[in-house]
PDB file of all heavy atoms in Angstrom:
ATOM      1  N   ASP A 237     179.311 -16.685 146.677  1.00 86.00           N
ATOM      2  CA  ASP A 237     178.837 -15.325 146.959  1.00 86.00           C
ATOM      3  C   ASP A 237     177.312 -15.362 147.029  1.00 86.00           C
ATOM      4  O   ASP A 237     176.635 -15.549 146.009  1.00 86.00           O
ATOM      5  CB  ASP A 237     179.297 -14.362 145.860  1.00 86.00           C
ATOM      6  CG  ASP A 237     178.992 -12.909 146.201  1.00 86.00           C
ATOM      7  OD1 ASP A 237     178.119 -12.660 147.054  1.00 86.00           O
ATOM      8  OD2 ASP A 237     179.623 -12.011 145.608  1.00 86.00           O
ATOM      9  N   GLY A 238     176.778 -15.214 148.232  1.00 84.00           N
ATOM     10  CA  GLY A 238     175.335 -15.295 148.424  1.00 84.00           C
ATOM     11  C   GLY A 238     174.536 -14.225 147.725  1.00 84.00           C
ATOM     12  O   GLY A 238     173.307 -14.333 147.621  1.00 84.00           O
ATOM     13  N   HIS A 239     175.195 -13.177 147.218  1.00 84.00           N
ATOM     14  CA  HIS A 239     174.480 -12.113 146.517  1.00 84.00           C
ATOM     15  C   HIS A 239     174.056 -12.527 145.113  1.00 84.00           C
ATOM     16  O   HIS A 239     173.187 -11.890 144.524  1.00 84.00           O
ATOM     17  CB  HIS A 239     175.345 -10.850 146.436  1.00 84.00           C
ATOM     18  CG  HIS A 239     175.528 -10.161 147.756  1.00 84.00           C
ATOM     19  ND1 HIS A 239     176.505 -10.537 148.657  1.00 84.00           N
ATOM     20  CD2 HIS A 239     174.859  -9.135 148.346  1.00 84.00           C
ATOM     21  CE1 HIS A 239     176.434  -9.765 149.724  1.00 84.00           C
ATOM     22  NE2 HIS A 239     175.445  -8.913 149.577  1.00 84.00           N
ATOM     23  N   VAL A 240     174.708 -13.540 144.554  1.00 87.00           N
ATOM     24  CA  VAL A 240     174.376 -14.001 143.200  1.00 87.00           C
ATOM     25  C   VAL A 240     174.015 -15.487 143.288  1.00 87.00           C
ATOM     26  O   VAL A 240     174.872 -16.357 143.192  1.00 87.00           O
ATOM     27  CB  VAL A 240     175.538 -13.753 142.212  1.00 87.00           C
ATOM     28  CG1 VAL A 240     175.595 -12.298 141.820  1.00 87.00           C
ATOM     29  CG2 VAL A 240     176.890 -14.156 142.820  1.00 87.00           C
ATOM     30  N   GLY A 241     172.736 -15.765 143.470  1.00 87.00           N
ATOM     31  CA  GLY A 241     172.282 -17.111 143.750  1.00 87.00           C
ATOM     32  C   GLY A 241     172.547 -18.120 142.655  1.00 87.00           C
ATOM     33  O   GLY A 241     173.126 -19.186 142.890  1.00 87.00           O
ATOM     34  N   ASN A 242     172.127 -17.811 141.433  1.00 91.00           N
ATOM     35  CA  ASN A 242     172.277 -18.774 140.343  1.00 91.00           C
ATOM     36  C   ASN A 242     173.741 -19.015 139.989  1.00 91.00           C
ATOM     37  O   ASN A 242     174.153 -20.156 139.738  1.00 91.00           O
ATOM     38  CB  ASN A 242     171.514 -18.284 139.107  1.00 91.00           C
ATOM     39  CG  ASN A 242     170.018 -18.373 139.305  1.00 91.00           C
ATOM     40  OD1 ASN A 242     169.494 -19.374 139.767  1.00 91.00           O
ATOM     41  ND2 ASN A 242     169.312 -17.307 138.956  1.00 91.00           N
ATOM     42  N   GLN A 243     174.535 -17.962 139.972  1.00 92.00           N
ATOM     43  CA  GLN A 243     175.953 -18.110 139.654  1.00 92.00           C
ATOM     44  C   GLN A 243     176.668 -18.934 140.722  1.00 92.00           C
ATOM     45  O   GLN A 243     177.505 -19.786 140.402  1.00 92.00           O
ATOM     46  CB  GLN A 243     176.614 -16.734 139.506  1.00 92.00           C
ATOM     47  CG  GLN A 243     176.127 -15.931 138.315  1.00 92.00           C
ATOM     48  CD  GLN A 243     174.958 -15.037 138.655  1.00 92.00           C
ATOM     49  OE1 GLN A 243     174.118 -15.367 139.488  1.00 92.00           O
ATOM     50  NE2 GLN A 243     174.895 -13.875 138.000  1.00 92.00           N
ATOM     51  N   SER A 244     176.357 -18.682 141.988  1.00 91.00           N
ATOM     52  CA  SER A 244     176.997 -19.435 143.067  1.00 91.00           C
ATOM     53  C   SER A 244     176.576 -20.901 143.047  1.00 91.00           C
ATOM     54  O   SER A 244     177.382 -21.798 143.298  1.00 91.00           O
ATOM     55  CB  SER A 244     176.652 -18.810 144.424  1.00 91.00           C
ATOM     56  OG  SER A 244     177.289 -17.560 144.587  1.00 91.00           O
ATOM     57  N   LEU A 245     175.306 -21.143 142.753  1.00 92.00           N
ATOM     58  CA  LEU A 245     174.839 -22.525 142.646  1.00 92.00           C
ATOM     59  C   LEU A 245     175.561 -23.247 141.513  1.00 92.00           C
ATOM     60  O   LEU A 245     175.981 -24.408 141.666  1.00 92.00           O
ATOM     61  CB  LEU A 245     173.330 -22.544 142.394  1.00 92.00           C
ATOM     62  CG  LEU A 245     172.693 -23.914 142.149  1.00 92.00           C
ATOM     63  CD1 LEU A 245     172.885 -24.825 143.359  1.00 92.00           C
ATOM     64  CD2 LEU A 245     171.211 -23.762 141.828  1.00 92.00           C
ATOM     65  N   LEU A 246     175.726 -22.559 140.397  1.00 93.00           N
ATOM     66  CA  LEU A 246     176.419 -23.150 139.252  1.00 93.00           C
ATOM     67  C   LEU A 246     177.883 -23.428 139.588  1.00 93.00           C
ATOM     68  O   LEU A 246     178.414 -24.487 139.258  1.00 93.00           O
ATOM     69  CB  LEU A 246     176.318 -22.213 138.051  1.00 93.00           C
ATOM     70  CG  LEU A 246     176.728 -22.750 136.683  1.00 93.00           C
ATOM     71  CD1 LEU A 246     175.894 -23.963 136.300  1.00 93.00           C
ATOM     72  CD2 LEU A 246     176.574 -21.658 135.625  1.00 93.00           C
ATOM     73  N   MET A 247     178.532 -22.486 140.249  1.00 93.00           N
ATOM     74  CA  MET A 247     179.932 -22.659 140.613  1.00 93.00           C
ATOM     75  C   MET A 247     180.098 -23.799 141.619  1.00 93.00           C
ATOM     76  O   MET A 247     181.011 -24.610 141.526  1.00 93.00           O
ATOM     77  CB  MET A 247     180.476 -21.347 141.211  1.00 93.00           C
ATOM     78  CG  MET A 247     181.944 -21.370 141.632  1.00 93.00           C
ATOM     79  SD  MET A 247     182.236 -22.099 143.279  1.00 93.00           S
ATOM     80  CE  MET A 247     181.220 -21.039 144.311  1.00 93.00           C
ATOM     81  N   PHE A 248     179.186 -23.874 142.576  1.00 92.00           N
ATOM     82  CA  PHE A 248     179.318 -24.842 143.662  1.00 92.00           C
ATOM     83  C   PHE A 248     178.995 -26.262 143.210  1.00 92.00           C
ATOM     84  O   PHE A 248     179.687 -27.218 143.578  1.00 92.00           O
ATOM     85  CB  PHE A 248     178.391 -24.444 144.816  1.00 92.00           C
ATOM     86  CG  PHE A 248     178.727 -25.095 146.120  1.00 92.00           C
ATOM     87  CD1 PHE A 248     179.673 -24.547 146.961  1.00 92.00           C
ATOM     88  CD2 PHE A 248     178.090 -26.259 146.510  1.00 92.00           C
ATOM     89  CE1 PHE A 248     179.993 -25.149 148.173  1.00 92.00           C
ATOM     90  CE2 PHE A 248     178.392 -26.868 147.718  1.00 92.00           C
ATOM     91  CZ  PHE A 248     179.349 -26.318 148.553  1.00 92.00           C
ATOM     92  N   SER A 249     177.946 -26.423 142.396  1.00 92.00           N
ATOM     93  CA  SER A 249     177.483 -27.767 142.039  1.00 92.00           C
ATOM     94  C   SER A 249     177.650 -28.109 140.575  1.00 92.00           C
ATOM     95  O   SER A 249     177.328 -29.232 140.169  1.00 92.00           O
ATOM     96  CB  SER A 249     176.006 -27.929 142.428  1.00 92.00           C
ATOM     97  OG  SER A 249     175.207 -26.965 141.760  1.00 92.00           O
ATOM     98  N   GLY A 250     178.124 -27.158 139.763  1.00 94.00           N
ATOM     99  CA  GLY A 250     178.333 -27.431 138.356  1.00 94.00           C
ATOM    100  C   GLY A 250     177.029 -27.517 137.575  1.00 94.00           C
ATOM    101  O   GLY A 250     175.936 -27.328 138.124  1.00 94.00           O
ATOM    102  N   ILE A 251     177.155 -27.811 136.294  1.00 95.00           N
ATOM    103  CA  ILE A 251     175.978 -27.900 135.438  1.00 95.00           C
ATOM    104  C   ILE A 251     175.046 -29.006 135.916  1.00 95.00           C
ATOM    105  O   ILE A 251     173.817 -28.844 135.926  1.00 95.00           O
ATOM    106  CB  ILE A 251     176.408 -28.152 133.980  1.00 95.00           C
ATOM    107  CG1 ILE A 251     177.201 -26.950 133.449  1.00 95.00           C
ATOM    108  CG2 ILE A 251     175.199 -28.428 133.101  1.00 95.00           C
ATOM    109  CD1 ILE A 251     177.794 -27.170 132.067  1.00 95.00           C
ATOM    110  N   ILE A 252     175.617 -30.133 136.340  1.00 95.00           N
ATOM    111  CA  ILE A 252     174.797 -31.262 136.776  1.00 95.00           C
ATOM    112  C   ILE A 252     173.958 -30.894 137.999  1.00 95.00           C
ATOM    113  O   ILE A 252     172.742 -31.119 138.043  1.00 95.00           O
ATOM    114  CB  ILE A 252     175.687 -32.483 137.077  1.00 95.00           C
ATOM    115  CG1 ILE A 252     176.312 -33.004 135.784  1.00 95.00           C
ATOM    116  CG2 ILE A 252     174.875 -33.590 137.760  1.00 95.00           C
ATOM    117  CD1 ILE A 252     177.241 -34.181 135.972  1.00 95.00           C
ATOM    118  N   GLY A 253     174.593 -30.327 139.012  1.00 94.00           N
ATOM    119  CA  GLY A 253     173.863 -29.931 140.216  1.00 94.00           C
ATOM    120  C   GLY A 253     172.861 -28.829 139.940  1.00 94.00           C
ATOM    121  O   GLY A 253     171.764 -28.815 140.510  1.00 94.00           O
ATOM    122  N   PHE A 254     173.237 -27.879 139.079  1.00 95.00           N
ATOM    123  CA  PHE A 254     172.347 -26.777 138.725  1.00 95.00           C
ATOM    124  C   PHE A 254     171.069 -27.314 138.086  1.00 95.00           C
ATOM    125  O   PHE A 254     169.957 -26.883 138.423  1.00 95.00           O
ATOM    126  CB  PHE A 254     173.066 -25.826 137.772  1.00 95.00           C
ATOM    127  CG  PHE A 254     172.296 -24.584 137.433  1.00 95.00           C
ATOM    128  CD1 PHE A 254     172.362 -23.469 138.253  1.00 95.00           C
ATOM    129  CD2 PHE A 254     171.511 -24.517 136.293  1.00 95.00           C
ATOM    130  CE1 PHE A 254     171.657 -22.316 137.954  1.00 95.00           C
ATOM    131  CE2 PHE A 254     170.809 -23.376 135.973  1.00 95.00           C
ATOM    132  CZ  PHE A 254     170.876 -22.266 136.805  1.00 95.00           C
ATOM    133  N   VAL A 255     171.223 -28.255 137.161  1.00 96.00           N
ATOM    134  CA  VAL A 255     170.063 -28.847 136.478  1.00 96.00           C
ATOM    135  C   VAL A 255     169.221 -29.665 137.453  1.00 96.00           C
ATOM    136  O   VAL A 255     167.986 -29.609 137.421  1.00 96.00           O
ATOM    137  CB  VAL A 255     170.523 -29.722 135.291  1.00 96.00           C
ATOM    138  CG1 VAL A 255     169.349 -30.509 134.707  1.00 96.00           C
ATOM    139  CG2 VAL A 255     171.154 -28.860 134.212  1.00 96.00           C
TER     140      VAL A 255
END
Side-chain angles (χ1 to χ4, degrees):
D237 188 340
H239 290 85
V240 283
N242 289 314
Q243 293 91 327
S244 290
L245 175 61
L246 192 59
M247 181 278 302
F248 198 85
S249 59
I251 295 174
I252 292 178
F254 185 86
V255 171

